Every structure is written in C-alpha cells, then in structure tokens.
Amino acid sequence: APEGPRLGQPLEAAAISALDITVFPDGTGLPPGQGTAVEGKAVYDAKCAACHGPNGSGGSAEELAGGRNPLTSAEPDKTIGTYWPYASTVFDFIRRAMPLDAPRSLGNDEVYAVTAYLLHANGIIGEHDRLDAATLPKIRMPNAAGFVWVYPERQPR
Amino acid sequence: APEGPRLGQPLEAAAISALDITVFPDGTGLPPGQGTAVEGKAVYDAKCAACHGPNGSGGSAEELAGGRNPLTSAEPDKTIGTYWPYASTVFDFIRRAMPLDAPRSLGNDEVYAVTAYLLHANGIIGEHDRLDAATLPKIRMPNAAGFVWVYPERQPR
Amino acid sequence: KAGLAVTGAALAGTAQAVPPPPWMTRPGAPLSNYGQPSPHERAVIRWIAANADAPGNGISWTPLERLEGIVTPSGLHFERHHNGVPQIDPAVHRLAVHGRVGKALSFGIDDLLRYPMTSRLCFIECGGNSNAGWHQEPMQAPAGNIHGLASCSEWTGVPLATVLAECGLQPNAQWLIAEGADAAAMNVSIPLDKALDDALLALYQNGERLRPENGYPLRLVLPGWEGVTNVKWLHRLQLADQPAMARNETAKYTELLPSGQARQFSFVMEAKSLITRPSAGQALPGPGLHPISGLAWSGRGAIRRVEVSTDGGKTWQDAALDSPVLPKCFTRFRLSWRWDGSPAILKSRATDETGYVQPERQILVAERGRHGYFHYNAIVSWAVAADGSVSHVHA
Amino acid sequence: KAGLAVTGAALAGTAQAVPPPPWMTRPGAPLSNYGQPSPHERAVIRWIAANADAPGNGISWTPLERLEGIVTPSGLHFERHHNGVPQIDPAVHRLAVHGRVGKALSFGIDDLLRYPMTSRLCFIECGGNSNAGWHQEPMQAPAGNIHGLASCSEWTGVPLATVLAECGLQPNAQWLIAEGADAAAMNVSIPLDKALDDALLALYQNGERLRPENGYPLRLVLPGWEGVTNVKWLHRLQLADQPAMARNETAKYTELLPSGQARQFSFVMEAKSLITRPSAGQALPGPGLHPISGLAWSGRGAIRRVEVSTDGGKTWQDAALDSPVLPKCFTRFRLSWRWDGSPAILKSRATDETGYVQPERQILVAERGRHGYFHYNAIVSWAVAADGSVSHVHA
Ligand code: HEC
Ligand code: HEC
Ligand SMILES: [Ca+2]
Ligand SMILES: [Ca+2]
Ligand SMILES: [Ca+2]
Ligand SMILES: [Ca+2]
Ligand SMILES: [Ca+2]
Ligand SMILES: [Ca+2]
Ligand SMILES: [Co+2]
Ligand SMILES: [Co+2]
C-alpha cells in the first residue's frame, strides 16, 4: 500500500473506552452492571413492547421470542432462542441500537436486565438469573453449533 | 454498425421544408423574399440595437460592425466585416437564432433586410443593394480566403 | 445539389404551416449550479420499502430496468439503512482505529483527504438482493424491484492498508470490526486479508464526495463483498483476534440451509446476471428486431462471458460486452434478438474469470433450500407472451 | 485479549463522559426516491458565467479541483448554452434525417429507445476550454474555473451509423449538418467519416436519461471531438455534399493564427492534462508527503503516459494511472510527492497512444499566437510558495 502522510492522532485509553461498544462472545467488552429478567420486564414493557409486541412477539418489528418452528421446518423461526448463536450479541445489539427511537438511551443495568428478559422469554435462563460481565459469556445458546463457516480457513482456532 | 429495427417514418417534402433552415454558402436553402439595408435599419433599430448597440457596436452582445483592427493586430476584431467568410452565414444565423429574445419571429423579408443592413454597416454592400436568394450567394466577403482547413483531406473539391 | 435547393425553396411557402416547437422560439432556462433530471423522468426513482413505524429502517431499489450502461447515478444508488441516514457534520466526524494495533490513532476527514487515494469502478450488492427468487411463486415486479439492491459507482478513497500500516498491527490482529456512526451503530467483522487486499476508505462516489445515504463522509468499500460489509458512515475500526459475532453477521446475513445449519461469513457476491430489457412488466410492441440488454457482475473478478438464451435455456448465444469489462464491476451485455412473435423465455448466464458459472434456479434451490434469504444469484427467466407482454417465470 | 478487556471494562465509568454524537442517538433521515449531495458540500457547484441580459447564454464550469476519479457527476457536467436549456417534451421531440439520403426518415424518442445501443465512457470538452491560457497573465482562479469546460460521462445511445444505414446515403453525402431544437437552433457540420466511425445518438448519461442541460432527450456524442460538435437537443441531421459554414464553425470555434489566417474544422481535442490537486487557490498545510492527483485525456485515443514535474519541468517522473485507461476518456493520474517546504513548480505532461505529447505553453503560443481562443492544451504550471499557497504561473 502507498505510504500516507501519517496524520493520525493518538487515541487515549479513555477515548477508546468511550467509543468501544463491541461485546465479543467471550465477554470481552462487557461493561460493569447487572440485571435479571424480572427487572428487565419493566424495561421491556416500557420501551420495547410498542414495537416488538408483548412478550417479544406480535409487534411491527422483528420477533424476539416465541419462535417455535425448528430451523428445518417449512417456515423456520429465526429468533434469539432458535437461531442466535451467542448471548453476547443480544447485549451488544440492544446497547448499540435499541430502542430504535432512542438508541444509546439505556443504562448498562437496563441493557443487562432487558437482555436477561429476552433470554428468559426464549427459555434460555431463569427469571431470577443474574446477568453480568461474568455470567453472560457462560450462557450456551440453543443454536450455538448451528453455523458453518463458508471460508473455514478464516475461522480463528 | 448493428442493424436497427427500421422504425423510421417517411418524411414528406413539406415537412422537410418546414424543418430545413440551413443556408449553404452557395445559396442552397435561401427562401423567397428580399430586402435592402435601408429597410433593414428599421428592423435593426427596433429589434437588435438594444443588445448589439446602435450601428452594430457598443452593446452588451457581440460586436456586429465597426471592427477596425486587422486580424494580425494585437487586438484583432472578429466581426462580420473582418472575419466572417460567407454572407450566407449572416442570413442563416439571424434567421435561426435572432433576435435572442424571440428567435424565429422575423419574416424572410425582415431577415434579408437586416442581413443587408449588417453587410452595409460592414462596408460590404451598398445601402440600396437588393438582397435575395440570387444576389446573396454572389457576395464575396472580405475574409473569404481567411481560413485554412486543419484536415484538408476533408475539404470538398 | 439541385434537389436540395428545389425542395427548400419551392416549398418555403407551405413551411410556415408547421411552426417550430415552442422551445425553439423562446429562450430556454438559465444555467444552473447543480443539475437535476428532466421533469419528464420523474418516474425514474428508487422504490422505497420502509418500516411504517420507522421511515429510516428499510430499503430502496435502483430501477435497473430503466437505466443503461454500468454507472448508477448516485441519486439512484440503492439504499439499505437500519435506522435512517445520519446527518453527519464532516468537521466533527473522525475515524478511530484501535484494538490490536501498535498505536491507536484517530483521523479527521480533512486528514484522510490528504492521503494518497485510488479510484475504481465497482458494484455494491446487498446480500439480500434478489431474495424474492427463493419464493416458490415468481414475483411479478419490475426487474429493479427484485434485483435492484445492486448499484455500481466509481469510488475513490484511501487504501485501508495505508492507514493500517500507520497504526501497526499486533501479530494476532486477524479481524477488523468496522462500525458506522449511524443510529444503528451498524457493525460487521472483516477478515484482515480482505482489509489489506483492496479495501478502500471511500471519500468520493462518482467523482463527488459521498452522498449522505451512501455513507457521507466516509464509507468502507470492500469490492465484490456483500453490501452490509461496506460499512457506511464509518467511524471506528477495531482490530481483534476474533469476529464480533454482531447481530448482522449472525441473526442476519447468514444463510439457513435445508440441514438447519446456516452458512456464515459468506462475504463474496458470486457471479450473477440479468436481462434488464426486456424484463418483467415491459412489453414488446410486436415481432421484429429487439435489443436485449442486461448487467452481469461477479465479486470474484471480471466477467469473462455472458450467454443469452431466448428459448428457455435450450440454446445459448454469446452476448457482446460493452467496454470496459472491469473486475468486481457491473458489465453491460447486449444481444440483438429477432422475435418471431411466439412465446419465448429469455435468460442470461454469467461466467466470471475464475470459471464460475451462474447456476440455474433449481440447482441453487436444491443446494440451499428456500430459507437462505441471502446470496440468491440464480439465472433469471423472463417470459415473453405472444402479445409481447413480459413476465417473471421460474423456468 | 486481556489488554482489550482491561481497557474496555476498567474505564467504562469514564466512558459516559464522552457522549456519542447526536446522529448516533436519534433515528436518521428517511429513505429517499432520488438522492442529493450532503448540505455540507453545497460549495461544490458549477460556477456560472452568463450574459447578464440573457441568463441562458453562457457557460458553467465543472469544479474539477473538488472532484476525484474520472466520472463527472451529471449535476456537475459543464454547460455551454447559446440560448438556454430548452424544456423539451420527449413525446413530441423527433429526429429528422434528410438531404442526400436514400429515404428521408423521422424517428421518435420511443423509436430510438428500441434500437441497439452501446455505452462508452468519454469526455466532452468545449473547444473554448482553458482559453485563459492564451492570456499573458496567468489567471488566478480555481483549476475548474480555468479548465472545467471538460467533463466525462458514460454515454449510452444508438450508433449513428445504424440510423444512417436505415436512411441510405447518396454517393455525395459527405457532410452531416446536425441541429439542436434549442432557441439557438445550434448547428454544426460533421464529416461523414466521423459520423460513421464512433458517433452516438446518446439517450443516457451516467446510467439515466440525459439531463436537460446535456441535451435531453437526444444528444449527438462525437467521442474526442470538440464540445460544440456534440449537438444537444438533436432534432435534425441533414446530409450534404458540403459543410453549412454555420456561424459556430466560422465566426466562432475557429482559431485565428498570427498570420491572420484561421484554422477551421479543427474538431479533435488534442492530448491535455492538469494537476487538480494541489492547484491554484489551494494550500499545502506544510512540508511532507502530499498526493498529486490530476486528469489527462486525448481526443485521439487512450492516454499512454502522464509525467509529473515538481521542479518546473527540469525533471519528470511517470505518474501512476488509475484503471480504467480508456480511449477518449478522462484518465486519473497520481503521484506521491514529498514537499521539502521550498518553492516548487508543478506540471503534468500527457502523451497519448499516437505518441502526441502535450506541448509546453511557449511552444503552443509560438505556433498559434495569442488570439486563437480555442483548443488551448498546453502544459499547466502551478507554483507552490514556501507558505504552501498554490498559484497559477506561466513557467
Ligand atoms: C420504534 C420501534 C422499536 C422499538 C421501540 C424497539 N425496537 Fe427493537 N427493533 C426494531 C426494528 C425495526 C428492528 C429491526 C432493525 C433492523 O432492521 O436492523 C429491531 C430489532 C431488534 C432486535 C434484533 C432482532 C433480530 O431478529 O435481528 C432486538 C434484539 C431488539 N430489536 C430489541 C429491542 C429492545 C430490547 C427494545 C427496547 C429496549 C427495542 N428493541 C425497542 C424496532 C424497535
Ligand atoms: C436580447 C439580446 C439580443 C437581441 C435582441 C439580439 N441579439 Fe444578436 N446576439 C445576442 C447574443 C447574446 C449573441 C451571442 C449568441 C451566442 O453566444 O451564441 C448574439 C449574436 C448575434 C450574431 C452573431 C455575432 C457573432 O459575432 O457571432 C448576429 C449576427 C446577431 N446576433 C444579429 C442580431 C440581429 C440581426 C438581431 C435583431 C434582429 C439581434 N441579433 C438581436 C443578443 C441579442
Ligand atoms: Ca467501552
Ligand atoms: Ca413465526
Ligand atoms: Ca426551408
Ligand atoms: Ca474591437
Ligand atoms: Ca413524458
Ligand atoms: Ca463543513
Ligand atoms: Co453473506
Ligand atoms: Co475547433
């Protein structure tokens, strides 16, 4: 590649931390905080149900729970419970993008709680299970083994 | 060239005649009609002088007469009298494009007359010389021999 | 010469009977600082399908069937936004590069504009383009409303490799997580090999700065790779030893197979073609010579060949390819067809420089099932009826 | 991986201190049927110089110094109109072909849309482009306001040869008089050889139908030939045995030589190049690495080579050419330059596939004098001062 004029300015750790909202499957990037499904129900009903429907289905936006049709059926349901391979993705996506009308408005505890609520609604965790940076990465999702790499040579070992 | 679907519709002679406003140096294309510089002065003063100035110079638009500086001078004048090689072009251009604010509004006699006026203003014909389809192509312009063909092989013999 | 003179002069009297059109007798419109299409072309638009509750969440299709050549006008480049078009102030916007780098750095747009750039014509195609093809029933819609989540522009920008070299890479930096500064903070994971190959930090599209809906002021362009990886409004690049497994590379943009397993990180848009004219919803006015024109492209390189069939795939003829034929770029193909007025089925089939041949629909469906949603690239069939009307068929 | 985790988690508390930009916390704008540039780019316009008494009589320049790549966005394609932009109804507009033909025929736009077409990328340059170069004093203006009567688009249309073959040519049909349907009925004479070579009846520009100011609904495109011959709003083609000697091929668009004779029917735009960045009016922020980027083109074919000098022409280096390098098309050249902070003079020099080399200004002026007005294609020189400011010089 051609050489550039090297105009990049150093990024301080604090600035990186403010910017960096990626959560990896192994939990890297999870912030402090915690929540349970019971706490999350209040968040969900107030800020999510209008679009996603009561209990995560039947709204105008994507179905988040209640998927029953297996992936091999004629009308497969691709929901968190039936399709998503990592719990980290639920936390990551909600924190970065939801609620659609006010992204980045939830506190970390609210994100943990509503994530727990959706995992519970999908039958993955119990309603009092505490979700935090330590417990979330340990969750094994039902469809964790459901993906094949089109380019296996690119898969990290 | 690829063959086309041959959708062209025949053009009748009357339709061609209505469309065809080209006047060639040899007079091909000149319509019936006539005019003199004396008659043309009235047309010019009424419909041209506002832009081109009294007597063809000093207006906001191109200088049409009064050019004095020869083509080899430091500030050459490229006017009808000093530069234009054919009288047919004056008639052709005025008929198709002038007056700028109302093109195609002049009758053929008016075009002959105002062309005569401009040729007279440039010292090329007399003020009572009658301009028509027979006389116009016979006019020899001062700079008729002033042009060299960049691609002489394309010059009709 | 006599002929001309006679025609011209003899009929001059009658000529006045047919006056010139009004636009030849009145001065036209003034010059303008920035031009727009003719009002007579106002039907040539991107067709929008958006979420009723969220007008920035949706897609709009390039009207391929109304366009020609290979360049998509920027105003008609397809859109796919997850939460609208951010109105970014370029003076504030910065690109952060961090993670497994030697030195985390941040770049302003004015900085990047001072870097060495390169330009290339290439297509961007949404992974979900043509997904109606998976349906059992052939969708009856204009070609662009089926296949128009693909567009082609000249992109100019800084090679990503230049900026990564400035930061330095740690040995285990194998993935790059690219994130947009939109309200969806849209992010995807990109293998380092692609990032170092031909990835561009694009600043210009078709000569001018990016359009807002195409990522202004900065877009990651990954020639030949699915649209979602060409992250718009790019503001963050995080080097990592693993992919993020973001929502848009797990829950979406993965292809469920009949086995229940799903293909992940499919990236490359395989070779594809379609006839844009004639196409569904158009009509041939009658038997005779008709130009067939269409587009072919491949995410793996240049199109080597496009064949056209007018008998539903029984026989094939090579179409002519307009110059230029560039890698990972739309290629315009053409064939003159003499229609005898009987029902016909038109198909096109692309072969790219790797030898990959665009598959027939039944082959693709047999391999992938009908719930993959993404990466549909099968041969497209248009049926011409005896009355000249053209419809979409699975044939 | 530990590193990342520590950075991310340990500082999460302070992270809240830097809130995301507003466009990441509110939904963005909806999708749109036809996109427009960012409001932040509203300074990127065609600069207009028109007759105060006749706002449709004038020119507007493509802002070359603000653009990149080779495609000119249609909204910024230069304009030269003699009496405004006609607002033509395409349903009424027809092309008449008559004169020394076998059969005079007339074609509607809908008819022409059914003909076989071809697409090509090519530049159009006004014969009067760069005419400030003839002035003794170098004009201090942005590069586009000097050289921006040149633009490059993908044009698609019907080969003129196809339509002429349908009409049939009489043996002495040697010229074609092309006329526009504007209020100037702009007309020029074109030798038949060019008409049969690569002339296009263009219907599309950069993928979509022509823009009004570029000839909607029909333009004659003569690749590589001076702009005025690319007749816009084309409505009439008259075959003849001689040129019309129209006002715009005698009084204008001819080049007066020092001898008092004038070059006529010069047609081809000879090879030319200029550095667009850095260029007059721009400023280098300081010594260091700076990308040099510019455009080269030739009406005779492809650009073979562009050399750049940073020492006023003493030494030259070959610039890199971005792909594609197409005949009669803009070609983007690039060179990285390490500026040491001392005054420098930048030049570029194009060579085309015929071996023709763009001349130095003093050579061109010695040959043509200073009153030719048209066809100025000399090497352009930009002076970089010690403070980084760039100005136009004759050097
Ligand atoms: C104003 C409507 C709206 C609200 C409120 C809303 N969402 Fe969403 N949500 C959407 C839409 C639309 C999408 C699809 C976004 C896309 O296309 O990328 C979505 C997607 C999602 C997804 C991904 C679904 C999938 O299958 O990919 C999750 C998870 C989600 N929302 C959770 C939430 C949570 C939790 C809340 C509340 C804290 C919330 N949403 C509030 C509209 C909304
Ligand atoms: C409203 C202004 C206006 C009026 C009225 C007008 N003209 Fe013009 N004329 C112009 C302009 C402007 C041009 C240059 C047109 C161009 O750029 O192609 C011009 C060009 C010409 C030229 C060509 C000059 C050259 O050197 O190329 C002639 C001849 C001419 N006009 C004659 C006339 C005559 C005769 C009339 C009246 C019957 C007339 N004009 C009325 C504005 C006007
Ligand atoms: Ca963080
Ligand atoms: Ca369901
Ligand atoms: Ca006539
Ligand atoms: Ca003078
Ligand atoms: Ca219409
Ligand atoms: Ca700004
Ligand atoms: Co994919
Ligand atoms: Co010329």
Side-chain angles (χ1 to χ4, degrees):
Chain A
E3 203 199 325
R6 301 192 165 265
L7 303 173
Q9 288 170 18
L11 262 178
E12 301 304 322
I16 295 170
S17 178
L19 280 168
D20 179 6
I21 53 169
T22 311
V23 178
F24 290 85
D26 63 6
T28 302
L30 278 171
Q34 60 161 88
T36 64
V38 169
E39 291 157 5
K41 181 169 171 34
V43 177
Y44 185 86
D45 289 347
K47 301 186 173 173
C48 321
C51 294
H52 291 284
N55 309 315
S57 75
S60 66
E62 290 356 47
E63 189 166 44
L64 301 179
R68 306 239 174 282
N69 301 343
L71 297 176
T72 47
S73 65
E75 295 296 336
D77 283 327
K78 297 186 194 171
T79 51
I80 291 171
T82 58
Y83 198 62
W84 292 39
Y86 304 103
S88 58
T89 311
V90 185
F91 184 97
D92 176 278
F93 185 72
I94 295 170
R95 180 168 64 160
R96 72 175 57 242
M98 290 294 139
L100 195 82
D101 50 358
R104 309 294 286 274
S105 62
L106 302 185
N108 288 337
D109 286 348
E110 289 177 295
V111 181
Y112 275 115
V114 80
T115 300
Y117 172 80
L118 290 177
L119 292 172
H120 172 65
N122 280 283
I124 296 164
I125 63 172
E127 64 179 334
H128 298 291
D129 288 357
R130 169 191 162 122
L131 218 55
D132 61 21
T135 57
L136 190 147
K138 299 207 182 95
I139 296 167
R140 182 158 170 95
M141 298 288 277
N143 195 40
F147 291 82
V148 290
W149 285 60
V150 173
Y151 302 98
E153 68 278 15
R154 288 195 171 112
Q155 188 160 12
R157 293 120 254 264
Chain B
E3 202 198 325
R6 300 191 165 268
L7 303 173
Q9 289 170 20
L11 261 179
E12 301 304 319
I16 294 171
S17 177
L19 279 169
D20 178 6
I21 54 169
T22 311
V23 178
F24 290 85
D26 63 7
T28 304
L30 278 170
Q34 59 162 86
T36 64
V38 168
E39 292 157 5
K41 180 170 174 29
V43 178
Y44 184 86
D45 288 348
K47 301 185 173 174
C48 319
C51 295
H52 291 284
N55 310 314
S57 75
S60 66
E62 302 332 64
E63 187 165 49
L64 302 178
R68 306 240 174 284
N69 300 343
L71 297 177
T72 47
S73 65
E75 294 297 335
D77 283 326
K78 297 186 193 172
T79 53
I80 291 172
T82 57
Y83 198 63
W84 292 39
Y86 303 103
S88 59
T89 310
V90 185
F91 184 98
D92 176 278
F93 185 72
I94 294 170
R95 179 166 66 160
R96 72 175 56 242
M98 290 293 137
L100 195 84
D101 50 358
R104 309 294 285 275
S105 62
L106 302 185
N108 288 337
D109 286 349
E110 289 177 298
V111 180
Y112 275 116
V114 79
T115 300
Y117 172 79
L118 290 178
L119 292 172
H120 171 65
N122 279 282
I124 297 165
I125 63 173
E127 63 180 335
H128 298 290
D129 289 357
R130 169 190 160 121
L131 218 55
D132 62 20
T135 57
L136 189 147
K138 298 205 182 95
I139 295 168
R140 183 160 169 92
M141 299 287 278
N143 195 39
F147 292 81
V148 290
W149 284 59
V150 173
Y151 302 98
E153 68 278 14
R154 290 195 168 110
Q155 187 160 13
R157 291 122 251 267
Chain C
K1 198 172 301 181
L4 263 178
V6 170
T7 313
L11 295 163
T14 62
Q16 293 303 97
V18 188
W23 40 85
M24 294 186 80
T25 62
R26 292 194 295 257
L31 296 102
S32 59
N33 292 132
Y34 198 94
Q36 299 296 337
S38 163
H40 292 280
E41 299 300 321
R42 69 170 74 86
V44 184
I45 55 167
R46 306 191 273 225
W47 191 255
I48 298 171
N51 187 322
D53 296 334
N57 176 246
I59 54 173
S60 72
W61 286 275
T62 295
L64 296 177
E65 77 285 358
R66 314 201 61 158
L67 304 183
E68 257 295 348
I70 61 170
V71 174
T72 308
S74 299
L76 295 174
H77 191 290
F78 85 85
E79 296 174 278
R80 172 35 174 153
H81 316 306
H82 293 264
N83 202 4
V85 180
Q87 307 298 306
I88 296 178
D89 181 349
V92 171
H93 188 84
R94 298 189 69 83
L95 173 65
V97 187
H98 69 98
R100 298 185 178 274
V101 291
K103 206 162 40 160
L105 295 175
S106 152
F107 302 83
I109 296 301
D110 285 353
D111 297 330
L112 292 173
L113 286 167
R114 289 170 53 195
Y115 275 63
M117 296 193 204
T118 186
S119 302
R120 73 176 292 169
L121 281 148
C122 63
F123 74 84
I124 295 181
E125 181 179 16
C126 179
N129 194 28
S130 314
N131 67 62
W134 301 113
H135 301 176
Q136 214 110 43
E137 287 303 311
M139 179 173 159
Q140 297 307 333
N145 292 20
I146 306 177
H147 306 286
L149 299 182
S151 311
C152 185
S153 306
E154 186 187 27
W155 302 97
T156 300
V158 180
L160 177 52
T162 295
V163 164
L164 292 181
E166 179 171 341
C167 299
L169 296 175
Q170 294 178 15
N172 51 3
Q174 289 306 322
W175 290 78
L176 193 79
I177 293 127
E179 184 179 274
D182 60 326
M186 231 293 303
N187 66 332
V188 294
S189 307
I190 294 148
L192 190 69
D193 60 302
K194 179 66 174 180
L196 296 178
D197 176 13
D198 59 2
L200 277 187
L201 297 170
L203 292 151
Y204 295 84
Q205 176 188 10
N206 291 335
E208 64 192 344
R209 296 287 298 281
L210 302 179
R211 292 292 177 86
E213 67 272 29
N214 275 296
Y216 184 85
L218 189 66
R219 179 175 200 165
L220 182 62
V221 168
L222 300 184
W225 280 30
E226 57 190 340
V228 71
T229 66
N230 292 251
V231 176
K232 297 186 284 194
W233 315 297
L234 185 72
H235 84 135
R236 190 164 74 87
L237 289 171
Q238 176 176 13
L239 279 294
D241 63 346
Q242 55 180 321
M245 296 297 176
R247 178 255 192 174
N248 281 316
E249 60 203 18
T250 53
K252 309 282 163 181
Y253 302 98
T254 48
E255 299 102 59
L256 182 59
L257 296 168
S259 65
Q261 293 265 299
R263 288 160 46 93
Q264 194 180 15
F265 295 121
S266 34
F267 297 135
V268 180
M269 301 311 291
E270 301 281 4
K272 186 164 173 175
S273 71
L274 78 151
I275 294 169
T276 53
R277 192 142 172 261
S279 61
Q282 298 179 343
L284 299 184
L289 202 65
H290 292 280
I292 289 177
S293 165
L295 290 169
W297 63 93
S298 166
R300 297 205 183 277
I303 289 296
R304 178 196 286 165
R305 179 183 199 189
V306 180
E307 297 156 287
V308 167
S309 173
T310 58
D311 57 11
K314 285 194 212 61
T315 63
W316 296 88
Q317 291 174 70
D318 277 307
L321 306 183
D322 273 352
S323 167
V325 177
L326 298 170
K328 308 178 186 179
C329 183
F330 275 6
T331 297
R332 176 63 61 176
F333 66 86
R334 302 182 186 280
L335 187 82
S336 262
W337 174 47
R338 192 170 291 283
W339 180 46
D340 65 8
S342 54
I345 289 176
L346 310 182
K347 296 180 178 226
S348 67
R349 178 168 72 188
T351 303
D352 71 17
E353 64 177 66
T354 71
Y356 175 93
V357 182
Q358 184 183 11
E360 282 285 1
R361 181 172 182 277
Q362 64 271 28
I363 306 284
L364 186 71
V365 171
E367 193 183 303
R368 301 267 178 88
R370 288 185 40 250
H371 302 291
Y373 195 89
F374 301 98
H375 287 266
Y376 183 93
N377 73 323
I379 289 172
V380 176
S381 303
W382 307 122
V384 180
D387 67 358
S389 63
V390 186
S391 63
H392 187 198
V393 289
H394 288 164
Chain D
K1 196 174 296 177
L4 262 178
V6 170
T7 312
L11 295 164
T14 63
Q16 293 302 98
V18 188
W23 40 83
M24 294 187 80
T25 63
R26 292 193 295 255
L31 296 103
S32 59
N33 292 131
Y34 199 94
Q36 298 296 339
S38 162
H40 292 279
E41 300 299 320
R42 69 169 75 86
V44 184
I45 55 167
R46 306 191 274 224
W47 191 255
I48 298 172
N51 187 321
D53 295 335
N57 175 247
I59 53 173
S60 72
W61 285 275
T62 294
L64 296 177
E65 78 285 358
R66 315 200 60 158
L67 303 182
E68 255 297 345
I70 61 171
V71 173
T72 308
S74 298
L76 295 174
H77 192 290
F78 85 85
E79 297 175 278
R80 177 21 175 163
H81 315 306
H82 293 264
N83 202 3
V85 180
Q87 306 299 304
I88 296 179
D89 181 349
V92 171
H93 188 86
R94 296 189 70 84
L95 173 67
V97 186
H98 70 98
R100 298 183 178 274
V101 291
K103 205 164 41 159
L105 296 174
S106 149
F107 302 83
I109 295 300
D110 285 353
D111 298 330
L112 292 173
L113 286 167
R114 291 170 52 194
Y115 275 62
M117 297 193 203
T118 185
S119 302
R120 74 175 291 170
L121 281 148
C122 63
F123 74 85
I124 295 181
E125 181 180 16
C126 179
N129 193 29
S130 315
N131 67 62
W134 301 113
H135 302 177
Q136 215 110 43
E137 286 303 311
M139 180 173 156
Q140 298 307 333
N145 292 21
I146 306 176
H147 306 286
L149 299 182
S151 311
C152 185
S153 305
E154 187 188 28
W155 302 96
T156 300
V158 180
L160 176 53
T162 295
V163 164
L164 293 181
E166 179 171 343
C167 299
L169 296 175
Q170 294 178 15
N172 51 6
Q174 289 306 321
W175 289 79
L176 192 80
I177 293 127
E179 185 178 275
D182 60 326
M186 229 295 303
N187 67 332
V188 294
S189 306
I190 293 148
L192 190 69
D193 59 303
K194 179 67 175 180
L196 296 177
D197 175 12
D198 59 1
L200 277 188
L201 297 169
L203 293 151
Y204 295 83
Q205 175 188 10
N206 291 335
E208 65 192 343
R209 297 288 298 282
L210 302 179
R211 292 292 177 87
E213 68 272 29
N214 274 296
Y216 183 86
L218 190 66
R219 178 175 200 166
L220 181 63
V221 169
L222 301 184
W225 281 30
E226 58 190 338
V228 70
T229 67
N230 292 253
V231 176
K232 297 186 284 195
W233 315 297
L234 184 73
H235 85 134
R236 190 163 76 87
L237 289 171
Q238 177 177 14
L239 279 293
D241 62 346
Q242 55 180 317
M245 297 296 179
R247 179 254 191 176
N248 282 316
E249 59 203 21
T250 52
K252 309 281 163 183
Y253 302 99
T254 48
E255 299 102 59
L256 182 59
L257 296 169
S259 66
Q261 294 266 299
R263 287 158 49 91
Q264 193 180 17
F265 296 121
S266 34
F267 296 136
V268 180
M269 301 311 291
E270 301 282 4
K272 185 164 172 174
S273 71
L274 77 148
I275 294 169
T276 52
R277 189 137 177 265
S279 60
Q282 298 180 343
L284 299 184
L289 202 65
H290 291 280
I292 289 176
S293 166
L295 291 168
W297 63 92
S298 165
R300 297 207 183 274
I303 290 294
R304 179 195 286 166
R305 178 184 200 188
V306 180
E307 296 154 288
V308 168
S309 174
T310 57
D311 57 11
K314 286 194 211 65
T315 63
W316 296 87
Q317 290 174 73
D318 278 306
L321 306 183
D322 273 351
S323 167
V325 176
L326 298 169
K328 307 178 187 179
C329 184
F330 274 5
T331 297
R332 177 62 61 175
F333 66 86
R334 300 181 188 280
L335 186 81
S336 263
W337 173 46
R338 192 169 291 282
W339 181 45
D340 64 7
S342 53
I345 290 176
L346 309 182
K347 296 180 178 226
S348 66
R349 178 167 72 187
T351 303
D352 71 17
E353 65 177 68
T354 71
Y356 175 93
V357 181
Q358 183 183 9
E360 281 285 1
R361 179 170 183 278
Q362 64 272 27
I363 307 283
L364 186 71
V365 170
E367 194 183 302
R368 301 267 179 87
R370 289 186 38 251
H371 301 291
Y373 194 89
F374 301 97
H375 288 266
Y376 183 92
N377 72 323
I379 288 172
V380 176
S381 304
W382 308 123
V384 180
D387 67 358
S389 64
V390 186
S391 63
H392 186 198
V393 289
H394 289 163

